[in-house]
């Protein structure tokens, strides 16, 4: 069976973009692959974060994974910081990368451009992709399901792995990115040319655990265009196209099917239908998350997951240590 691996950072609140672009994909693959899904909590440290908030986000994220239907009997579910090999291999891979390729990462450029004093850009933000490469390469992952924004990091992982294999005579499997067929980039409701993002808390972002009435309001006030025809056209009608994508992925209906039903019914009517679908999905999710948090199973799931992950990761790290002459 092929191996699939992915993770999400416990920074901020999880968004509808994370849900559609990543989590829903994980669920659909769990029967077909050897799957590892983790909480990228070391990655959450690359920008300042309050310890209490980090803990809360982590608990919420694991509860969301479980509430969405990830089955810990099928999937190895764990926290990155529970498996020390991630940080160790991350260091080795930082030594295999160079400043040029890391400076070209779009996400680094975006995030660092928001920091006005360039001297204070955190080093962790810069070497973030080498830690992500370690996450993937430790487990010989064949496939990495992510949203479009992470594709460049997986490509860098491939470059680093190929370089290492050439230098040291093998060691790593070369992974491939898997993008969602639809929904690999959910955009902001207030600025539909930009990614919906948890770092930009605004009226354009739907948070999975947020107040439902507020989320409905955000959808009803989503920015659209003036021509009042519900039709998919990413270039000229990004707002309507984004709403069509959201509704299509959540209701399992094709875009064409939705266009046929809503084309001439007016934007208000269409937005209400989108809001109904989103809210009913979020309501069910929130109820399950609350049940899971009350049930007290989270620490047990993480303990078992980290043991299984550690068994795989330690073998790989030993092999790499041997290859580079540390053993
Ligand atoms: P993160 O935590 O920023 O996002 C988690 C996942 O959600 C996807 N995503 C989106 N998809 C569609 N539309 C959006 N608006 C949207 N916003 C986010 C992301 O592409 C991602 O798949 N570095 C990663 C976490 C990570 C990881 C890994 C992933 C660490 N190690 C190894 C895969 C393999 C990150 O920060 O994702």
């Amino acid at each position: 069976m092929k191996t699939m691996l992915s993770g999400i950072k416990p920074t901020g609140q999880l968004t509808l973009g994370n849900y559609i672009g990543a989590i829903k994909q994980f669920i659909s693959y769990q029967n077909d692959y050897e799957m590892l899904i983790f909480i990228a909590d070391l990655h959450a440290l690359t920008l300042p974060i309050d310890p209490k908030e980090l803990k809360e986000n982590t608990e919420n994220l694991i509860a969301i994974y479980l509430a969405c239907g990830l089955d810990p009997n099928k999937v190895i579910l764990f926290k990155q910081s529970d498996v020390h090999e991630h940080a160790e291999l991350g260091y080795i891979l930082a030594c295999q990368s160079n400043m040029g390729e890391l400076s070209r990462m779009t996400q680094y450029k975006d995030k660092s451009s928001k920091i006005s004093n360039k001297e204070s850009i955190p080093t962790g933000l810069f070497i973030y992709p080498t830690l992500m490469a370690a996450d993937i390469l430790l487990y010989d992952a064949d496939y990495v399901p992510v949203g479009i924004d992470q594709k460049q990091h997986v490509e860098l992982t491939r470059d680093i792995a190929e370089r290492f294999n050439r230098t040291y005579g093998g060691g790593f499997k070369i992974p491939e990115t898997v993008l969602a067929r639809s929904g690999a980039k959910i955009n902001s409701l207030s600025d539909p040319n930009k990614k919906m993002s948890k770092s930009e808390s605004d009226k354009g972002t739907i948070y999975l655990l947020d107040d439902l009435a507020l989320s409905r309001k955000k959808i009803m006030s989503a920015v659209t265009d003036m021509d009042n025809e519900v039709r998919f056209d990413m270039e000229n009608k990004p707002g309507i196209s984004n709403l069509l994508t959201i509704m299509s992925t959540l209701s399992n209906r094709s875009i064409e099917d939705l266009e046929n039903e809503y084309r001439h019914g007016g934007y208000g009517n269409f937005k209400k239908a989108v809001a109904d679908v989103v809210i009913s999905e979020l309501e069910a999710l929130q109820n399950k998350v609350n049940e899971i948090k009350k049930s007290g199973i989270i620490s047990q799931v993480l303990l078992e997951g980290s043991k299984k992950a550690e068994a795989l990761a330690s073998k790989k790290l030993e092999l790499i240590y041997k290859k580079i002459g540390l053993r």
Side-chain angles (χ1 to χ4, degrees), residues 5-11 14-23 25-26 38-40 43 61 80 86 107 111 128 131-133 135-136 144-151 153-154 179 183-188 194-198:
L5 168 139
S6 197
I8 298 183
K9 278 193 311 267
T11 49
L14 240 58
T15 71
L16 195 61
N18 299 131
Y19 183 65
I20 295 176
I23 302 178
Q25 284 209 82
F26 305 163
F38 65 99
I39 296 172
H43 282 269
L61 179 49
Q80 187 184 29
H86 287 249
Q107 194 166 79
K111 292 197 169 165
Y128 170 111
L131 180 58
M132 179 158 163
D135 302 336
I136 298 170
V144 184
V146 284
I148 284 175
D149 62 319
Q150 294 297 326
K151 189 165 178 263
H153 291 158
V154 182
L179 292 178
K185 187 172 179 227
I186 299 298
N187 287 337
S188 159
K194 264 184 30 199
K195 180 183 84 158
M196 182 183 282
S197 152
K198 57 189 164 189

Side-chain angles (χ1 to χ4, degrees), residues 45-113:
L45 303 176
T46 50
L47 288 172
I49 183 164
D50 174 59
K52 192 165 156 268
E53 194 190 324
L54 176 57
K55 270 188 87 171
E56 270 170 26
N57 290 346
T58 301
E59 192 196 5
N60 280 338
L61 179 49
I62 183 85
I64 288 172
Y65 278 158
L66 294 169
C68 291
L70 276 183
D71 178 351
N73 297 313
K74 292 183 188 154
V75 177
I76 302 182
L77 217 52
F78 66 104
K79 218 166 67 173
Q80 187 184 29
S81 64
D82 283 341
V83 182
H84 59 81
E85 284 81 357
H86 287 249
E88 291 174 51
L89 185 63
Y91 173 74
I92 302 291
L93 297 181
C95 295
Q96 301 297 322
S97 66
N98 55 61
M99 309 263 290
E101 61 195 353
L102 294 182
S103 325
R104 284 192 288 278
M105 293 296 110
T106 312
Q107 194 166 79
Y108 170 71
K109 287 198 271 188
D110 279 358
K111 292 197 169 165
S112 59
S113 72

Side-chain angles (χ1 to χ4, degrees), residues 17 29 34-35 39 50 60 79 87 127 155 157 159 164 181 205 218 239 241 267 303:
Y29 290 125
E34 198 74 72
M35 197 147 188
I39 296 172
D50 174 59
N60 280 338
K79 218 166 67 173
I127 59 166
E155 276 158 15
T157 301
D159 291 345
F164 185 99
R181 263 181 299 267
T205 305
K218 290 179 182 175
S241 305
Y267 284 177
L303 182 67

Side-chain angles (χ1 to χ4, degrees), residues 25-37:
Q25 284 209 82
F26 305 163
I27 313 297
S28 71
Y29 290 125
Q30 65 179 338
N31 293 322
D32 306 324
Y33 296 93
E34 198 74 72
M35 197 147 188
L36 296 113
I37 299 292

